[in-house]
């Protein structure tokens, strides 16, 4: 911990409050950091020296910069050739994470200054700042590597710095390390010098102007593969416990993607190389450090022999997302964290865009509708959601906005405007934006300006509401046959079905996207509360064609039935069908329709042939099952039977053998059907799963195809017991394959036996599950009522331990809280959650907690409305099924 516990407020206020933001005072501006670091793998500390060149823009007697858990030994302030102070007074503000350096002599405005600090830091195990990551060597010994994660506000944990995205500077970094270690940083190596028999100093070239959150350095034993298929060298690195050949897919994809982005953005990647590194302990999925992208092992390394189609798609998504940031985020950066969506929303959209170019046969824009769009609409239907552009005041608030609003709603906003302007015009705007703001910082308005310029349209006018206001509308459509018009009306949608008039004042510019037999009318915009539009042919129309707009449509039951028929007649796109089912399901959950109506709609899709649509059908059914998880067994059995009836026939027809001739989508479709039929009790599938599992347990590791590994494990745990559980636990413990280990860990929670639940809940703190993976064993427990109950109790009983291990500022605590609370579906459950947290600090996860509570409220209200409705539906469904079987 830091020695400078000065409680005195820094002179000059320490921190400016501008727009309510806590930011550093603007009296000096950092221009260049000369940073030297020497990690010590024995003591698990590092020594550092930083020399920061500053422009003095106001008369200055003190300098405030960010530090966190750093022990500063000595500080010097220089100006020109003059030493201003060799022992200035330091005061640390723990709460604001700053240190103020105060000196007697004033440095006049217009001068240059240098601040030099020598310090020691911990190579911590919190996956933040300069931290240590460990892995097991083949001889059983432990390997260590030192690596960094700075975003959003942990560069200050690694070295004293001006830790704000707008304070860009150049960096010259030197690492002092064991000769046997590989040293990496954002830039390429300038020089390597021997400094002792065992040590070397590796100095990297000076970086361009960049934000502190993108700085990275790594020291450790690493292998690599390299490609020369791009203009510049690209490498994939991994620790020696990994087969580096598994980096091949990402390596090749990175080469093609960088070339594609250079062309698309008309902007050369400005650094001399690109390294991508697999890190054994990593809190997020990946991090876009400029020229040195770090990844969770499973998000970079891919073994086609042992991983399936969905894993491949995930790896491609992550790689293309982080590479998009090299321009969007790294070259042009948001000026503060409330612009985070510019980074994440764009990179998310861009990863789908480029994936679609490279793998058109994956049809990712179809799955976008069931994936990203639904993720956005789901979170944004809660009262505790937030606008895309959210005011962020303090460092500990930033982590909570790395959520489905910044990523998914942000991406949907981009998709909406790109469709509206046309992709070519949109990209032209993006090129202008990147050119104009290269190496600089921007606000949302700068993007809209560039797009306006390229398109000649007033983009800000259309888009401002979408980024500045929370939520989105449900558009209710009623029909007037006599004058061939539809009446559309927009209202704020809340999942809790309790919108107050004062919460329903925003009028969104809604691109209606009216689809008729003649095509799509892209020009209809509903900007008022309600309006009337002509529709020529009442036989068929649908709003929100391809679901490129951010709203849900509520039709009359009669129209919904007609749309069901239109789907069969081939009048709707895949996106239309999937989106329409999603809307119906979500609207039932929010009280706009009866749940029985949705169940009937799903039933009517029996002749549907597309994976994405089936995925949505089963997702919506599983949302109902989730809300009904504590309800009467007979109703739950009825819903399971329905799921089986939906999936079984197709599962049997397509089978569960995977051939080389199966395309990417086919593979995922088969895998989904297999699980969806087997879990609710299809006997044939269960027998097949048990057979494969028996062979697997007997040592045939290829007996289970990776596409259905999770399903096979889940089925045998559900219909087996301790024996199967133990084999899966052993697989987690001993498998060499990270993908397989993760699958095993995720499945264990599905076991319902009290002893096994106990065993599962002993894993997170057992020392054998890395903190990065804590959410895996616990999330499986959400699949049954006993597990949900046990999870909450586990969280409350281990709260101190949890907060100790997962510091609130880092975001993982919020994930755990959400997993352990949000599966309740009654007001009693809600009360227990609220009571537990009433006396506790919820700093760092208050928003996530509020979202969990809203999710519970929504389910409780849903059950209140439709408990009987679903019971009746299940009863009549069972009667019909029995009759038809007789
Ligand atoms: N910039 C983020 C990494 C990050 C996340 C840093 C949270 C700090 C806090 C990175 O670009 C990212 O978004 N990674 C995603 C993967 C992506 C494919 C959605 C992730 O980590 O899951
Ligand atoms: Zn990102």
């Amino acid at each position: 911990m830091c020695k400078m516990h000065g409680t005195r407020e820094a002179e000059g206020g320490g921190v400016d409050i501008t727009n309510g933001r806590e930011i550093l005072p603007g009296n000096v501006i950092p221009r260049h950091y000369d940073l030297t670091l020497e990690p010590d793998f024995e003591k698990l500390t590092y020594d550092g020296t930083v020399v920061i060149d500053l422009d003095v823009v106001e008369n200055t007697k003190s300098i405030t910069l960010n530090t966190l858990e750093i022990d500063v030994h000595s500080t010097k302030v220089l100006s020109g050739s003059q030493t201003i102070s060799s022992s200035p007074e330091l005061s640390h503000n723990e709460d604001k994470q700053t240190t103020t350096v105060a000196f007697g002599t004033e440095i006049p405005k217009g001068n240059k200054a240098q601040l030099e600090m020598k310090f020691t830091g911990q190579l911590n195990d919190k996956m933040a700042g300069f931290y240590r990551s460990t892995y097991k060597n083949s001889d059983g010994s432990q390997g260590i590597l030192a690596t960094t994660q700075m975003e959003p506000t942990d560069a200050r944990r690694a070295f004293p710095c001006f830790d704000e995205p707008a304070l860009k500077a150049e960096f010259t970094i030197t690492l002092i390390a064991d000769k046997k270690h590989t040293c990496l940083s954002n830039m390429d190596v300038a020089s390597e010098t021997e400094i002792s028999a065992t040590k070397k100093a590796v100095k990297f070239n000076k970086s361009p102007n960049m934000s502190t959150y993108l700085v990275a350095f790594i020291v450790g034993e690493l292998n690599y593969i390299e490609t020369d298929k791009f203009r510049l060298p690209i490498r994939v690195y991994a620790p020696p416990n990994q087969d580096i050949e598994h980096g091949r897919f990402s390596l090749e994809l990175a080469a093609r993607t960088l070339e594609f982005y250079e062309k698309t953005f008309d902007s050369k990647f400005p650094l001399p190389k690109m390294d991508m590194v697999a890190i054994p302990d990593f809190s997020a999925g990946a991090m876009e450090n400029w020229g040195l992208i770090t990844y969770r092992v499973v998000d970079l390394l891919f073994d086609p022999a042992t991983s399936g189609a969905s894993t491949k798609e995930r790896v491609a998504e992550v790689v293309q997302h982080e590479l998009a940031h090299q321009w969007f985020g790294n070259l042009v950066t948001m000026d503060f964290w409330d612009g985070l969506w510019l980074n994440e929303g764009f990179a998310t959209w861009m990863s789908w865009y480029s994936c679609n170019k490279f793998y058109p046969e994956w049809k990712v824009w179809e799955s976008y509708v069931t994936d990203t769009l639904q993720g956005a609409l789901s979170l944004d239907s809660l009262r505790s959601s937030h606008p895309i552009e959210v005011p962020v005041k303090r460092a500990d608030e930033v982590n909570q906005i790395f959520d489905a609003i910044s990523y998914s709603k942000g991406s949907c906003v981009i998709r909406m405007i790109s469709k509206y302007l046309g992709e070519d015009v949109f990209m032209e705007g993006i090129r202008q934006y990147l050119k104009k703001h290269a190496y600089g910082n921007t606000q949302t308005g700068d993007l809209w300006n560039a797009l306006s310029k390229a398109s000649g349209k007033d983009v800000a006018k259309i888009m401002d509401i979408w980024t500045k206001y929370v939520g989105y509308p449900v558009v209710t459509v009623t029909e007037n046959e006599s004058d061939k018009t539809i009446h559309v009306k927009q209202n704020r949608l809340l999942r809790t079905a309790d919108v107050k008039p004062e919460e329903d004042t925003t009028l969104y510019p809604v691109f209606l996207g009216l689809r008729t037999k003649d095509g799509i009318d892209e020009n209809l915009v509903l900007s008022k509360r309600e309006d009337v539009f002509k529709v020529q042919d009442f036989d068929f129309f649908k709003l929100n064609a391809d679901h490129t707009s951010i709203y849900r449509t509520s039709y009359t039951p009669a129209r919904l039935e007609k749309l069901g028929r239109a789907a069969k007649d081939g009048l709707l796109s895949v996106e239309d069908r999937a989106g329409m089912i999603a809307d119906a399901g979500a609207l039932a959950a929010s009280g706009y329709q009866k749940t029985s109506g949705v169940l009937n709609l799903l039933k009517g899709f029996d002749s549907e042939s597309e994976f994405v649509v089936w995925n949505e059908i089963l997702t919506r059914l599983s949302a109902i099952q989730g809300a009904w998880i504590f309800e009467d067994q007979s109703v739950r059995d009825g819903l399971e039977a329905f799921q089986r009836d939906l999936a079984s026939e197709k599962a049997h027809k397509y089978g569960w053998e995977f051939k080389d001739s199966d395309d990417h989508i086919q593979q995922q479709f088969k895998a989904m059907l297999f699980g969806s039929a087997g879990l609710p009790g299809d006997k044939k599938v269960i027998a097949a799963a048990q057979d494969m599992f028996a062979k697997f347990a007997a040592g045939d590791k290829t007996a289970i195809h990776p596409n259905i590994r999770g399903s096979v494990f889940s089925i045998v745990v559900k219909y087996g017991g301790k024996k199967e559980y133990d084999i899966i636990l052993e697989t987690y413990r001993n498998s060499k394959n990270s993908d397989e280990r993760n699958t095993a860990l995720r499945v264990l929670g599905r076991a319902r036996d009290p002893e096994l639940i106990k065993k599962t809940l002993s894993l997170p703190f057992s020392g054998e599950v890395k903190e990065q993976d804590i959410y895996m064993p616990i999330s499986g427990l959400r699949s049954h009522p006993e597990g949900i109950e046990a999870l909450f109790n586990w969280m409350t009983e281990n709260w101190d331990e949890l907060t100790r291990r997962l510091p609130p500022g880092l975001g993982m605590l919020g994930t755990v809280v959400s997993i352990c609370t949000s599966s309740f579906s009654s007001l009693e459950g809600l009360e227990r959650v609220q009571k537990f947290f009433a006396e506790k600090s919820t700093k760092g996860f208050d928003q996530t907690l509020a979202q969990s509570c809203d999710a519970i409220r929504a389910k409780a209200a849903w059950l209140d409305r439709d408990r009987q409705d679903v019971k009746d539906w299940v009863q009549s469904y069972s009667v019909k099924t029995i009759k038809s079987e007789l």
Side-chain angles (χ1 to χ4, degrees):
M1 278 295 288
C2 179
K3 277 206 290 194
M4 312 166 299
H5 279 294
T7 46
R8 192 169 62 87
E9 268 295 315
E11 280 164 355
V15 166
D16 270 358
I17 311 278
T18 312
N19 313 328
R21 288 176 192 164
E22 269 189 28
I23 53 169
L24 296 167
N27 57 326
V28 295
I29 298 174
R31 296 298 181 197
H32 178 257
Y33 292 75
D34 192 327
L35 176 64
T36 304
L37 295 149
E38 180 173 4
D40 183 331
F41 285 161
E42 238 89 86
K43 289 202 243 153
L44 302 179
T45 59
Y46 58 93
D47 288 327
T49 305
V50 65
V51 180
I52 312 174
D53 296 336
L54 303 160
D55 280 358
V56 178
V57 294
E58 286 165 26
N59 294 344
T60 287
K61 277 170 113 171
S62 77
I63 297 168
T64 299
L65 76 173
N66 295 111
T67 59
L68 180 62
E69 296 179 7
I70 290 176
D71 186 358
V72 178
H73 312 298
S74 74
T75 305
K76 253 197 257 175
V77 180
L78 310 160
S79 186
S81 55
Q82 195 191 347
T83 301
I84 300 290
S85 171
S86 51
S87 57
E89 191 184 328
L90 300 193
S91 55
H92 181 64
N93 187 322
E94 183 110 23
D95 179 54
K96 300 197 161 101
Q97 309 183 346
T98 57
T99 291
T100 296
V101 180
F103 33 90
T105 321
E106 184 171 272
I107 309 176
K109 170 180 166 175
N111 283 24
K112 304 238 176 258
Q114 269 191 333
L115 175 68
E116 181 191 303
M117 286 181 150
K118 291 192 188 299
F119 56 94
T120 302
Q122 305 294 323
L123 277 183
N124 71 71
D125 60 356
K126 300 284 174 248
M127 298 178 278
F130 197 18
Y131 71 94
R132 65 183 191 266
S133 176
T134 58
Y135 54 90
K136 235 207 278 167
N137 284 314
S138 52
D139 63 359
S141 66
Q142 193 186 60
I144 291 197
L145 62 93
T147 183
T148 53
Q149 170 61 40
M150 309 306 199
E151 193 182 17
T153 56
D154 283 306
R156 64 190 68 177
R157 246 182 226 277
F159 61 99
C161 60
F162 296 78
D163 198 10
E164 289 168 12
L167 297 177
K168 290 194 176 189
E170 298 168 335
F171 287 81
T172 304
I173 294 175
T174 305
L175 295 170
I176 299 176
D178 240 54
K179 278 184 181 161
K180 65 168 193 268
H181 283 154
T182 300
C183 295
L184 301 171
S185 186
N186 307 87
M187 297 297 292
D188 56 345
V189 174
S191 67
E192 197 171 311
T193 43
E194 184 176 87
I195 55 169
S196 75
T198 55
K199 290 222 151 173
K200 63 180 175 184
V202 180
K203 184 172 180 174
F204 298 91
N205 280 313
K206 187 167 80 180
S207 79
N209 230 15
M210 62 186 279
S211 302
T212 48
Y213 81 88
L214 294 166
V215 170
F217 31 88
I218 300 176
V219 176
E221 225 175 296
L222 294 166
N223 297 325
Y224 72 84
I225 49 177
E226 180 171 339
T227 179
D228 59 6
K229 293 207 178 108
F230 180 58
R231 198 168 58 75
L232 304 164
I234 306 175
R235 289 178 179 180
V236 167
Y237 283 89
N241 68 327
Q242 299 291 339
D243 182 346
I244 191 65
E245 270 308 314
H246 297 162
R248 193 64 66 184
F249 172 67
S250 294
L251 183 72
E252 303 290 335
L253 182 61
R256 294 160 65 201
T257 304
L258 280 172
E259 193 182 313
F260 174 66
Y261 286 172
E262 284 197 336
K263 241 194 248 139
T264 307
F265 298 141
D266 187 26
S267 164
K268 290 257 184 274
F269 178 66
L271 303 194
K273 55 92 184 172
M274 170 58 71
D275 292 328
M276 311 202 292
V277 190
I279 307 288
D281 300 81
F282 198 82
S283 70
M287 175 65 213
E288 70 266 25
N289 317 300
W290 219 359
L292 180 58
I293 305 177
T294 44
Y295 292 82
R296 207 174 252 254
V297 173
V298 285
D299 285 328
L300 178 66
L301 304 184
F302 173 75
D303 176 8
T306 56
S307 287
S310 55
T311 306
K312 185 173 184 177
E313 200 168 313
R314 162 75 186 173
V315 171
E317 178 191 355
V318 182
V319 169
Q320 296 192 305
H321 174 110
E322 305 311 334
L323 290 174
H325 276 313
Q326 306 301 305
W327 285 262
F328 233 93
N330 301 9
L331 182 64
V332 179
T333 313
M334 73 261 152
D335 78 338
F336 199 65
W337 295 107
D338 47 14
L340 177 70
W341 88 276
L342 280 175
N343 268 14
E344 298 304 348
F346 186 87
T348 300
W349 180 84
M350 196 66 203
S351 74
W352 293 82
Y353 180 86
S354 54
C355 193
N356 186 52
K357 294 277 177 217
F358 285 56
Y359 300 101
E361 70 281 12
W362 292 4
K363 299 185 183 161
V364 290
W365 284 121
E366 292 180 2
S367 44
Y368 184 93
V369 171
T370 59
D371 182 323
T372 308
L373 176 64
Q374 298 312 315
L377 295 179
S378 169
L379 178 52
D380 211 21
S381 66
L382 299 180
R383 181 170 276 114
S384 45
S385 177
H386 60 85
I388 285 180
E389 289 186 84
V390 62
V392 181
K393 297 189 189 77
R394 291 168 48 92
D396 51 30
E397 296 173 354
V398 182
N399 257 303
Q400 292 194 72
I401 61 166
F402 284 85
D403 63 2
I405 298 302
S406 302
Y407 281 74
S408 304
K409 193 182 181 189
S411 171
C412 290
V413 160
I414 299 276
R415 175 163 168 259
M416 194 158 73
I417 192 66
S418 72
K419 288 278 174 197
Y420 180 67
L421 302 179
E423 265 168 20
D424 293 343
V425 174
F426 173 80
M427 273 303 179
E428 182 49 36
I430 295 298
R431 284 188 282 274
Q432 290 179 17
Y433 170 83
L434 290 171
K435 248 184 216 102
K436 179 158 181 203
H437 302 286
Y439 305 102
N441 294 85
T442 55
Q443 298 180 343
T444 299
D446 296 314
L447 178 62
W448 301 154
N449 286 344
L451 294 175
S452 295
K453 235 178 166 174
S455 66
K457 293 188 172 132
D458 187 348
V459 175
K461 186 162 160 236
I462 317 164
M463 298 314 285
D464 260 353
I465 289 181
W466 289 108
T467 61
K468 293 195 191 306
Y469 291 83
V470 67
Y472 60 87
V474 49
V475 172
T476 308
V477 196
T478 46
E479 305 170 17
N480 190 339
E481 282 264 24
S482 57
D483 66 356
K484 295 265 189 234
T485 55
I486 54 169
H487 174 264
V488 290
K489 181 174 184 201
Q490 61 163 308
N491 290 95
R492 169 94 181 274
L493 187 144
L494 280 189
R495 210 193 301 171
T496 35
D498 56 352
V499 186
K500 301 185 190 88
E502 66 270 23
E503 291 171 313
D504 188 14
T505 54
T506 308
L507 292 177
Y508 302 85
V510 183
F511 300 128
L512 286 176
L514 177 67
R515 189 192 284 282
T516 63
K517 281 182 181 147
D518 301 330
I520 306 169
D521 187 341
E522 305 272 16
N523 294 317
L524 291 188
V525 184
L526 171 68
S527 327
K528 303 188 268 185
R529 172 70 67 188
E530 49 199 309
D531 212 342
V532 174
F533 297 96
K534 274 255 179 266
V535 172
Q536 293 307 334
D537 183 355
F538 259 62
D539 270 0
F540 168 68
F541 75 89
K542 181 184 169 295
L543 291 182
N544 204 1
D546 293 337
H547 291 254
T548 51
S549 286
I550 305 174
Y551 69 96
R552 295 207 188 271
T553 315
S554 177
Y555 299 102
T556 61
R559 175 56 55 184
L560 205 55
E561 225 185 288
K562 281 188 192 158
L563 280 168
R565 253 176 284 133
K568 283 193 175 150
D569 294 343
L571 294 169
L572 297 175
S573 68
V574 173
E575 290 92 329
D576 278 332
R577 271 131 63 201
M580 176 180 121
I581 290 164
D583 279 3
L587 289 173
S590 324
Y592 290 84
Q593 289 177 16
K594 282 283 149 203
T595 308
S596 55
V598 175
L599 288 164
N600 285 332
L601 180 73
L602 301 187
K603 205 164 71 169
F605 267 83
D606 46 3
S607 61
E608 172 62 49
S609 61
E610 289 289 328
F611 163 62
V612 172
V613 183
W614 273 104
N615 195 8
E616 193 57 40
I617 290 172
L618 292 162
T619 302
R620 289 298 157 183
L621 178 57
S622 117
I624 299 172
Q625 289 170 310
W628 260 255
I629 198 163
F630 290 101
E631 297 301 300
D632 288 353
Q633 189 65 44
S634 63
V635 177
R636 285 158 57 205
D637 287 348
L639 291 171
E640 269 210 337
F642 179 46
Q643 181 185 336
R644 208 167 52 226
D645 294 345
L646 284 175
S648 279
E649 201 186 300
K650 277 211 157 44
H652 297 166
K653 187 171 134 203
Y654 291 139
W656 35 87
E657 297 215 349
F658 295 88
K659 302 182 219 91
D660 288 344
S661 56
D662 290 340
D663 66 30
H664 184 79
I665 293 177
Q666 192 87 33
Q667 290 188 45
Q668 295 184 65
F669 198 4
K670 278 186 187 175
M672 180 184 74
L673 290 167
F674 180 84
S676 300
L679 272 169
D682 181 281
K683 293 208 172 59
K684 253 175 145 170
V685 172
I686 295 173
Q690 287 170 334
D691 183 49
M692 289 180 233
F693 189 74
K695 289 183 185 136
F696 173 82
D700 177 3
K701 295 301 170 208
T702 61
I704 305 172
H705 193 278
N707 279 330
I708 50 172
R709 187 186 286 134
S711 294
V712 169
F713 285 2
S714 300
I715 290 167
V716 300
V717 162
K718 180 165 178 185
Y719 295 100
K722 187 166 177 334
K723 194 176 111 222
E724 290 78 8
Y725 182 98
D726 284 339
I727 294 168
I728 293 170
L729 183 56
E730 280 314 301
T731 303
Y732 168 67
R733 288 184 170 142
N734 300 324
S735 170
K736 293 259 174 301
N737 176 287
S738 311
D739 197 11
E740 184 171 79
R741 297 187 71 219
N742 284 355
T743 305
L745 195 55
R746 284 177 203 271
V747 165
L748 292 171
R750 288 184 167 264
R752 293 173 75 157
D753 178 276
E755 279 309 304
L756 298 179
I757 291 179
K758 238 177 152 176
K759 210 165 169 180
T760 302
L761 284 172
S762 73
L763 287 170
F765 297 148
S766 63
E768 60 180 319
V769 176
K770 282 182 178 283
E771 244 138 60
Q772 66 161 12
D773 298 328
I774 273 190
Y775 65 90
M776 291 184 190
I778 61 177
S779 52
L781 287 159
R782 306 172 76 176
S783 59
H784 45 86
E786 299 87 339
I788 294 169
E789 182 65 31
L791 262 180
F792 181 72
N793 292 332
W794 171 80
M795 181 194 78
T796 55
E797 284 156 20
N798 293 283
W799 184 249
D800 292 341
E801 177 77 6
L802 273 169
T803 48
R804 201 178 58 71
R805 285 177 182 256
L806 312 172
L810 300 185
M812 301 231 317
L813 189 62
T815 308
V816 171
V817 168
S818 162
I819 291 172
C820 295
T821 58
S822 63
S823 294
F824 282 136
S825 55
S826 68
L827 294 178
E828 295 80 66
L830 175 65
E831 212 167 291
R832 285 166 73 191
V833 174
Q834 287 175 325
K835 205 164 151 210
F836 177 72
F837 286 108
E839 304 291 306
K840 306 239 168 351
S841 160
T842 56
K843 195 167 121 181
F845 65 88
D846 53 336
Q847 187 118 14
T848 318
L849 177 63
Q851 287 158 1
S852 280
C853 290
D854 273 346
I856 303 173
R857 273 186 204 103
K859 283 184 280 184
W862 187 8
L863 284 163
D864 238 18
R865 287 189 307 267
D866 283 356
R867 184 174 276 115
Q868 192 59 43
D869 177 54
V870 169
K871 197 172 195 164
D872 293 346
W873 186 90
V874 163
Q875 227 153 36
S876 90
Y877 176 76
S878 320
V879 171
K880 270 188 229 145
T881 322
I882 291 168
K883 269 196 194 144
S884 70
E885 277 171 7
L886 285 176

